[in-house]
Amino acid sequence: MRCGGAKNRIIVPYYTEEGTATPGVDYEHISGDIVFEEGELAKTVVILVKPTRSYEKDVFLNFNISDPYQQERDGLFKLSNSKIQTQYRLDGKPQLGEITRMQIRIKENREFKNHVDAILKRTNHSLKYGTELWFNQFKDSFIIKEENEELNMGKAVLRILNVPWKIFAAFVPPEEIDGGYLCFLVSIIAVGVITTIIGDIARHFGCCIGLQDSITAICLVSLGTSFPELLASKIAAVQNSYADASITSVTGGNAINVFLGIGTAWLIGSSYHSYHGVPFLVNPGSLAFPVTLYCILAIFCVVLLIIRRSKFFGGEFGGRMLLKLPTFLLFIFLWLFYITMVVLQGQGLITGF
């Protein structure tokens, strides 16, 4: 900034000087000339401060200006300040003021730092709280009798039998850790492990009693793996006035089983055989009959729900006992009929296609 006049064109050299701040790391070193045109009183110099990963930055650098030059018609003349002690030169020529060096301090924004500290505090508290919950899951797995609870022999036996499954489920971290993403990932892995165990147990059981793998899969494995979908559909049916959510849950689960379950297994199998130059052949078996029968019965159930949605019946869920009880019994009969037909066809008692 110029004080005491703005006559002539003045050039003031400037440069940055290293302090605790490092050039090229904390800031961009600059040097050059500040040009005051005649009539200009103020100029701005921009110093680029570089972003760093330092959380609590507090460094400084120096900004210096040198003796000014005055440009006149016959050239540039340097105006020395060493012998002049007054604030303004008596001959009207410009000179430096008392301050020729400025210290620039680079530090974190206090408001931003407080905001980050609050986030870290909540994150650490959540992580600590989630870790404690995860540890408590293992402790709760071994609890058979709650405090002030009356426990009979039947409940005690069931809870003892559930202890291994509770310990297995305790390995799933609580949702408070990592925003629930880790819980979701580990839950998917746990479901896959449990499905594999159920499939192997059902296969061995079917082998012991002489059932074919197709019958075992439809009657036993599907019942075990679809039971969570049954609970989800029941919850959706209670919380919604229509059957849309329940049907979507069932069809969505079947879509994942068919497209991802079978598709992923076949993709891995075909890629492996193709890499070794061996044809990948899968025996179709008797899949056409149960799938066709399932599609026919599923369409019948959906049509029945659409009919029940009319005002005469009062909705596909609930209603008068005269309507909801026969509907419930009909759906149970269709499931038993499907299982019976698949077993008969698998045992060769009826002819499939």
Side-chain angles (χ1 to χ4, degrees), residues 2 4-10 36-41 70-72 91-94:
R2 300 173 70 176
K7 186 179 179 181
N8 296 325
R9 189 172 190 262
I10 305 300
F36 289 92
E37 300 294 342
E38 186 169 352
E40 284 188 323
L41 295 177
Q70 176 178 313
Q71 186 174 22
E72 296 180 349
D91 56 3
K93 302 297 183 179

Side-chain angles (χ1 to χ4, degrees), residues 290-311:
V291 170
T292 304
L293 181 61
Y294 168 79
C295 292
I296 295 173
L297 297 179
I299 293 174
F300 176 79
C301 292
V302 172
V303 171
L304 180 59
L305 291 177
I306 294 175
I307 295 175
R308 283 211 52 181
R309 182 173 286 191
S310 64
K311 294 182 179 180

Side-chain angles (χ1 to χ4, degrees), residues 15-198:
Y15 63 94
T16 56
E17 183 181 5
E18 179 180 355
T20 56
T22 305
V25 177
D26 297 314
Y27 70 97
E28 193 71 35
H29 172 72
I30 58 173
S31 62
D33 296 324
I34 304 174
V35 179
F36 289 92
E37 300 294 342
E38 186 169 352
E40 284 188 323
L41 295 177
K43 300 289 284 188
T44 301
V45 178
V46 178
I47 301 177
L48 178 61
V49 177
K50 291 192 172 183
T52 62
R53 296 180 180 273
S54 178
Y55 174 61
E56 295 183 348
K57 176 183 287 188
D58 190 0
V59 295
F60 72 89
L61 64 118
N62 296 315
F63 181 79
N64 303 283
I65 55 176
S66 304
D67 292 332
Y69 292 84
Q70 176 178 313
Q71 186 174 22
E72 296 180 349
R73 294 181 180 179
D74 52 351
L76 294 174
F77 296 92
K78 184 174 182 180
L79 304 172
S80 175
N81 191 46
S82 58
K83 297 181 179 180
I84 305 297
Q85 302 297 330
T86 58
Q87 184 176 6
Y88 305 105
R89 293 176 64 102
L90 299 178
D91 56 3
K93 302 297 183 179
Q95 69 174 23
L96 293 178
E98 296 181 356
I99 302 175
T100 61
R101 169 180 288 191
M102 178 175 61
Q103 186 180 91
I104 301 175
R105 190 176 181 184
I106 305 174
K107 62 181 300 184
E108 76 284 349
N109 182 280
R110 184 175 299 275
E111 181 180 354
F112 175 75
K113 182 178 182 297
N114 294 337
H115 180 66
V116 173
D117 288 341
I119 294 177
L120 291 176
K121 184 177 180 181
R122 290 195 300 267
T123 303
N124 294 333
H125 176 73
S126 177
L127 181 60
K128 181 179 179 181
Y129 178 66
T131 305
E132 293 178 354
L133 289 179
W134 199 355
F135 178 72
N136 290 334
Q137 289 181 174
F138 290 94
K139 292 174 55 179
D140 295 340
S141 301
F142 296 93
I143 297 178
I144 305 299
K145 182 179 181 299
E146 298 288 346
E147 187 177 357
N148 299 327
E149 180 189 13
E150 295 182 1
L151 186 66
N152 54 34
M153 183 61 67
K155 288 184 178 181
V157 172
L158 290 177
R159 292 184 180 180
I160 292 175
L161 294 177
N162 287 333
V163 168
W165 298 103
K166 289 182 178 180
I167 296 176
F168 179 80
F171 284 96
V172 179
E175 61 181 10
E176 285 78 7
I177 297 180
D178 197 23
Y181 292 101
L182 184 62
C183 176
F184 177 75
L185 179 61
V186 177
S187 297
I188 293 179
I189 298 175
V191 170
V193 172
I194 294 177
T195 302
T196 304
I197 295 174
I198 293 176

